[in-house]
Amino acid sequence: MNFSDFSKASQQFNQFSPEMKEQMMKMAKARIKEKLLKWLATPTFVVIGITLGAVIGALTACFGDISDRLSAIRDANPLYFIPALALGGAAIAFAYKKWGRWTERGMDQVFAVGLNKETDFPLVAIPMAAVSTWITQLFGGSAGREGAAMQIGSALSYNISKKLPFENAAHIMLVTGMAAGFAGIFQAPMAATAFALEVLLVGHLELSALFPAAAAAFTACKVSSMLGFHKFSVDLNSLLDASGFSASVFTNEGTLDGNFLLKLALMGVLFGIVGGGFAKLLGLSQNFFAKKFPNSIKRIAIMGVGLSALLLVFFQGRYAGLGTNLLDMCFGVNAAGIAGYDWVIKFALTILTLSAGFVGGVVTPLFAIGATFGIFVAGMFGVPLPLAAALGFAAVFASASNTLWAPILIAGEIFGFNCLPAFFIVCTVAYICNGGQSIYKQKKIRIKI
């Protein structure tokens, strides 16, 4: 605008009534504020994400360390703790009715808020999820702990978002908190970022949350590691070298090995069926037992008695807790000691534990189910046991959660990136072959062509 244009605009403005001038000034200020907030949004979210990542990383490290200690106590004394699973479950159900009534749905609450179905996510979810998960682990329930970690991150970040003036702040901060919680407990920040973006997918990835989620995830991972929380990781290359199998699994005299690619695809189909079947049966089982025992305290107590008996009958707690004992066997010197029924029993007990109402998560048990199933099918395809276990670890998680990039990335972050093409193939095929199932009820998928 030159001087003459400005002069004309000024003269026209002076001709307006005082009320019109005031209204125009208000509109101009609102427009400037809107533009300013738009420019400041991403940097502000990133700074908040880093701060939140540090806090959530510390909280999840503390939470995970206590969980590990309680699991170790249970493993050392299974006959003292596993028989009391029903009492622990009744305590969980009673506590939620008494103090955590609005948070008892766990991850379903997170997804309801993320999909704008609800607007309330009280901070009491943090202690309720943490303590309930500790009780589940102490008394041997076959459940994970990532659910509690993501609830810790989500509840904290969502309540902070209410103080922010930016558009879509609640959803962005919810994704950021989920990423931080996942990264803090697994110390896999790339997978955590992808998982938080994928799992709340409603037709598209929420890419506006990418930078703050990544900032929070990497910060949480670093803080969790600095505080000494143990990360599960496997040097897959060394295991493959020891078995005489080259990590360069795709080439045969410089060309793609079609036979091996076909084996990977077929394994992906099997992993997809197992993961999708787990998600489907989990939903059916939860609905069945909720109708059979409408009272949550009675349900968890009655089923807890049955679970205690099964956990003790099946080798005095071999299938209790997270399933990390099975993972250690799969990638240790005792891999041959994994039985063909291990994945079936862990599969069934995890579904029953979660259907009863015990709190925790499902991802780590899925890792154990996938790895033991991988050992089971390794001989059918002539694949080394460590590689088959690693492929099952990632691909069953992919199919059960109906996510793709997070399982591929977590495989790379845990097992190394040399075999990333193999993980890509099996996870992609498993993702396609899962029948559209997901362990997360609130997740909605709409594929755009």
Side-chain angles (χ1 to χ4, degrees):
M1 178 183 291
N2 56 38
F3 180 79
S4 61
D5 291 335
F6 178 80
S7 178
K8 290 178 181 178
S10 178
Q11 290 176 4
Q12 291 176 351
F13 180 77
N14 290 330
Q15 293 173 0
F16 294 135
S17 65
E19 293 79 7
M20 182 63 74
K21 289 180 182 179
E22 183 179 357
Q23 186 66 24
M24 292 179 68
M25 289 299 294
K26 286 182 179 179
M27 291 175 61
K29 289 179 181 179
R31 187 68 183 272
I32 292 171
K33 182 180 179 180
E34 181 184 345
K35 289 285 186 183
L36 186 61
L37 288 176
K38 187 174 181 179
W39 281 102
L40 290 176
T42 298
T44 303
F45 282 132
V46 169
V47 171
I48 294 174
I50 292 171
T51 306
L52 267 176
V55 174
I56 294 169
L59 290 174
T60 51
C62 177
F63 162 73
D65 182 64
I66 294 174
S67 174
D68 285 342
R69 292 176 186 272
L70 294 175
S71 296
I73 292 171
R74 182 205 66 235
D75 288 341
N77 306 278
L79 296 179
Y80 289 102
F81 290 98
I82 293 178
L85 180 61
L87 293 177
I92 292 172
F94 176 80
Y96 269 104
K97 281 187 176 293
K98 184 75 172 176
W99 299 291
R101 194 165 197 161
W102 304 109
T103 63
E104 60 186 356
R105 288 183 296 141
M107 285 302 295
D108 287 348
Q109 177 85 14
V110 177
F111 295 118
V113 172
L115 297 173
N116 298 317
K117 291 183 176 181
E118 297 182 18
T119 58
D120 190 29
F121 197 179
L123 288 172
V124 72
I126 294 175
M128 291 300 299
V131 174
S132 298
T133 301
W134 290 334
I135 293 173
T136 299
Q137 298 302 321
L138 177 62
F139 295 108
S142 180
R145 58 188 177 188
E146 88 295 332
M150 288 195 289
Q151 287 178 65
I152 291 170
S154 301
L156 185 60
S157 60
Y158 181 76
N159 281 276
I160 289 175
S161 73
K162 295 180 178 180
K163 309 292 184 181
L164 301 177
F166 304 109
E167 182 183 2
N168 208 23
H171 191 79
I172 291 173
M173 293 307 297
L174 190 73
V175 172
T176 299
M178 287 181 65
F182 194 97
I185 205 70
F186 289 121
Q187 294 182 9
M190 289 186 288
T193 303
F195 185 75
L197 291 172
E198 282 187 275
V199 83
L200 284 175
L201 181 66
V202 186
H204 65 282
L205 290 175
E206 187 59 71
L207 292 180
S208 59
L210 175 59
F211 287 141
F218 277 91
T219 304
C221 176
K222 183 64 176 178
V223 170
S224 177
S225 177
M226 288 173 60
L227 292 176
F229 183 60
H230 172 69
K231 174 187 178 181
F232 177 77
S233 61
V234 175
D235 187 353
L236 185 59
N237 289 333
S238 296
L239 293 178
L240 291 178
D241 289 342
S243 67
F245 192 84
S246 173
S248 301
V249 294
F250 285 92
T251 57
N252 182 12
E253 298 181 357
T255 61
L256 285 175
D257 188 339
N259 288 332
F260 190 73
L261 295 180
L262 179 60
K263 289 180 181 179
L264 291 176
L266 292 175
M267 292 177 73
V269 172
L270 295 179
F271 294 141
I273 293 171
V274 170
F278 179 93
K280 180 66 174 179
L281 290 175
L282 175 61
L284 292 174
S285 178
Q286 287 176 326
N287 291 334
F288 173 79
F289 286 109
K291 292 178 181 178
K292 190 75 172 176
F293 305 107
N295 185 299
S296 60
I297 297 178
K298 288 184 179 179
R299 179 172 67 250
I300 202 169
I302 293 171
M303 294 184 68
V305 172
L307 282 166
S308 292
L310 291 173
L311 288 167
L312 291 175
V313 166
F314 293 129
F315 312 107
Q316 294 190 5
R318 179 183 176 98
Y319 307 103
L322 299 167
T324 50
N325 59 316
L326 297 174
L327 290 174
D328 290 338
M329 290 180 65
C330 287
F331 299 104
V333 295
N334 296 323
I338 292 293
Y341 51 76
D342 277 334
W343 73 273
V344 177
I345 299 176
K346 187 65 177 175
F347 184 108
L349 289 176
T350 302
I351 287 177
L352 291 173
T353 297
L354 296 173
S355 299
F358 288 95
V359 178
V362 68
V363 171
T364 308
L366 280 173
F367 290 157
I369 293 166
T372 51
F373 181 67
I375 295 285
F376 174 65
V377 301
M380 302 179 191
F381 298 96
V383 175
L385 297 183
L387 179 59
L391 294 173
F393 179 104
V396 169
F397 170 46
S399 59
S401 63
N402 211 2
T403 58
L404 177 61
W405 300 110
I408 294 171
L409 289 171
I410 203 170
E413 290 180 285
I414 289 178
F415 300 108
F417 287 92
N418 282 7
C419 291
L420 191 63
F423 291 117
F424 178 84
I425 290 176
V426 293
C427 287
T428 300
V429 175
Y431 175 76
I432 293 170
C433 295
N434 78 336
Q437 303 299 318
S438 175
I439 52 177
Y440 301 115
K441 295 179 183 177
Q442 297 286 357
K443 186 179 175 188
K444 293 183 177 179
I445 300 297
R446 186 172 70 245
I447 299 175
K448 291 185 176 180
I449 305 298

